[in-house]
Amino acid sequence: MSSLECDVLIVGGGIAGLSLASALAPFSSVVLVEAEGTLGYHTSSRSARQLIPSYGPGPVQDLTRRTLDLLDGVQSSTGLPLTVPRAFLLIGTEDEVDAAMNGSMRRVPHAEALALCPQLRPDAFTAAAIDTDCVGTDTDLLLDYHRRRAGDDGVIILTGAEVTSAHYDGAGWSVRAGYRPISAEVVVNAAGAWADGLANVCGVAPQGLVPLRRTAAIVAATHAPPVGTPMVAAADDAFYYRPDAEGILISPCEAEPAEPGDAQPHPGDVERLIDHLATVTDLGITGVVRAWTGLRTQCASGLPVVGFDAAHPGFFWLAGQGGYGFQTSSGIAELATILLTGADPEDLGADPVRIRAAAEALRPA
């Protein structure tokens, strides 16, 4: 079989790979390969669907704000309802909330927090803070938008195409993905929990990326908050919950190291969370509709890793987004496109100062 040829081979069909494919396609020939039979199968299909500008380290907050700006532009030009306003309420003790507050969050009185989220028990918290710049997002619609935009601009997308071999000859790559040989000038590693594994296949030193478990569930309840009510999170990372069209989305916010794979909830995790929420709220959870676990991959710095490998000019990292994948996706795709093509940031409508700062902060070790 003849080899597919492209400028850039993106490995990984989650939000990172798809958003880059749609941003990069006007400038380069692109092939995207995904090991699973469907796109967005792992972490990207298991998101909390909330974009929080005050969530994460400073560089992540900057990328989140840029992502929100870019998504606003997409919505204005396409009419797609990609986001809806949904505030984020943080609760806990005075010290816990002070320590966790960040970015655009502001303190709110106890009575105001109860008025916003009356399902909370008054004695369950003493302090609260809110971020009203947050939005909920339709992740399925966003993934599909990037897939369609990439396809319209000529990106070839292959599913069921795990990378099994890769060789770099100094000028380009010869890669086997599934049954297809592919030649590319650059390989982009957007493989999520498998990113360090892909680096090993390519003969590139890993970045020390660790997949971390994060479980969530949709539950039914007798006092489910209406859609539009803020997402509520404990400042000590014990839980979060928010209204969902199917009921209530809840999570114990665990971050346990795990091997790459199709992660599943541990027995008892969701049940223990339901018991805990009964002491904090009067939601009256009556049953579990469905539950799942995703893997949030992070490196030691807690920041995404974006840029050419320091020792390998043909290998580009787009990994380690942790729990910030969707909320930074468009901003990171813009950054990666500029780094891959050498484009002038201003030609893409980007701020050169911000791009330089992001490139330095996220540069691979």
Side-chain angles (χ1 to χ4, degrees), residues 43 192-197 206-214 255-260 294-303 305 317 319-323:
T43 301
W194 289 263
D196 269 355
Q207 289 287 314
L209 296 161
V210 179
L212 303 171
R213 292 173 54 85
R214 175 62 57 91
E256 300 172 359
E259 292 297 317
L295 298 178
R296 302 148 57 97
T297 305
Q298 294 183 342
C299 66
S301 71
L303 293 172
V305 181
W317 289 90
Q321 290 89 344

Side-chain angles (χ1 to χ4, degrees), residues 2-364:
S2 61
S3 177
L4 284 174
E5 295 185 0
C6 60
D7 298 326
V8 179
L9 172 63
I10 299 173
V11 182
I15 185 59
L18 282 172
S19 57
L20 175 60
S22 70
L24 183 61
F27 308 97
S28 304
S29 60
V30 178
V31 173
L32 182 148
V33 297
E34 165 57 45
E36 299 293 348
T38 57
L39 298 171
Y41 178 79
H42 288 287
T43 301
S44 291
S45 66
R46 311 175 194 195
S47 166
R49 304 188 175 206
Q50 181 91 357
L51 311 186
I52 307 171
S54 57
Y55 179 48
V60 167
Q61 293 180 41
D62 291 341
L63 287 163
T64 301
R65 287 190 288 270
R66 179 58 177 164
T67 296
L68 290 173
D69 288 343
L70 292 168
L71 291 181
D72 282 345
V74 172
Q75 293 182 118
S76 297
S77 63
T78 66
L80 291 172
L82 296 174
T83 65
V84 294
R86 183 167 61 217
F88 175 76
L89 186 72
L90 193 69
I91 62 169
T93 66
E94 295 284 346
D95 289 344
E96 288 168 345
V97 170
D98 282 343
M101 278 185 65
N102 215 341
S104 54
M105 299 203 78
R106 61 176 177 84
R107 287 290 293 267
V108 293
H110 189 267
E112 183 177 341
L114 288 175
L116 289 166
C117 301
Q119 69 277 0
L120 287 169
R121 297 186 183 277
D123 60 352
F125 66 102
T126 55
I130 196 166
D131 186 341
T132 56
D133 293 335
C134 302
V135 298
T137 185
D138 186 329
T139 54
D140 294 336
L141 187 61
L142 184 55
L143 287 167
D144 188 62
Y145 163 76
H146 287 306
R147 179 193 61 78
R148 287 187 291 104
R149 183 185 177 200
D152 289 346
D153 283 331
V155 175
I156 297 172
I157 296 176
L158 304 176
T159 56
E162 179 183 359
V163 172
T164 54
S165 67
H167 173 71
Y168 187 72
D169 64 6
W173 292 92
S174 297
V175 175
R176 173 70 63 169
Y179 65 89
R180 297 299 297 266
I182 303 172
S183 299
E185 293 180 14
V186 175
V187 167
V188 173
N189 183 355
W194 289 263
D196 269 355
L198 175 66
N200 287 329
V201 171
C202 293
V204 175
Q207 289 287 314
L209 296 161
V210 179
L212 303 171
R213 292 173 54 85
R214 175 62 57 91
T215 297
I218 300 291
V219 296
T222 56
H223 300 112
V227 173
T229 301
M231 178 176 177
V232 177
D236 64 357
D237 282 334
F239 66 84
Y240 69 70
Y241 71 86
R242 67 160 177 81
D244 184 87
E246 297 180 79
I248 307 171
L249 173 66
I250 64 174
S251 173
C253 299
E254 86 275 30
E256 300 172 359
E259 292 297 317
D262 190 1
Q264 300 296 321
H266 286 160
D269 280 358
V270 174
E271 291 74 16
R272 283 188 289 273
L273 173 59
I274 291 172
D275 289 343
H276 179 60
L277 286 173
T279 69
V280 179
T281 75
D282 63 359
L283 292 168
I285 296 172
T286 57
V288 178
V289 177
R290 56 190 175 90
W292 63 91
T293 299
L295 298 178
R296 302 148 57 97
T297 305
Q298 294 183 342
C299 66
S301 71
L303 293 172
V305 181
V306 183
F308 283 102
D309 188 85
H312 202 303
F315 192 85
F316 191 95
W317 289 90
L318 187 67
Q321 290 89 344
Y324 316 121
F326 273 97
Q327 74 174 48
T328 61
S329 56
S330 294
I332 283 182
E334 177 184 68
L335 168 64
T337 296
I338 291 168
L339 294 177
L340 285 162
T341 64
D344 185 332
E346 292 182 331
D347 290 343
L348 275 67
D351 176 7
V353 175
R354 181 183 56 79
I355 291 294
R356 285 195 296 271
E360 178 62 28
L362 308 187
R363 185 173 59 187

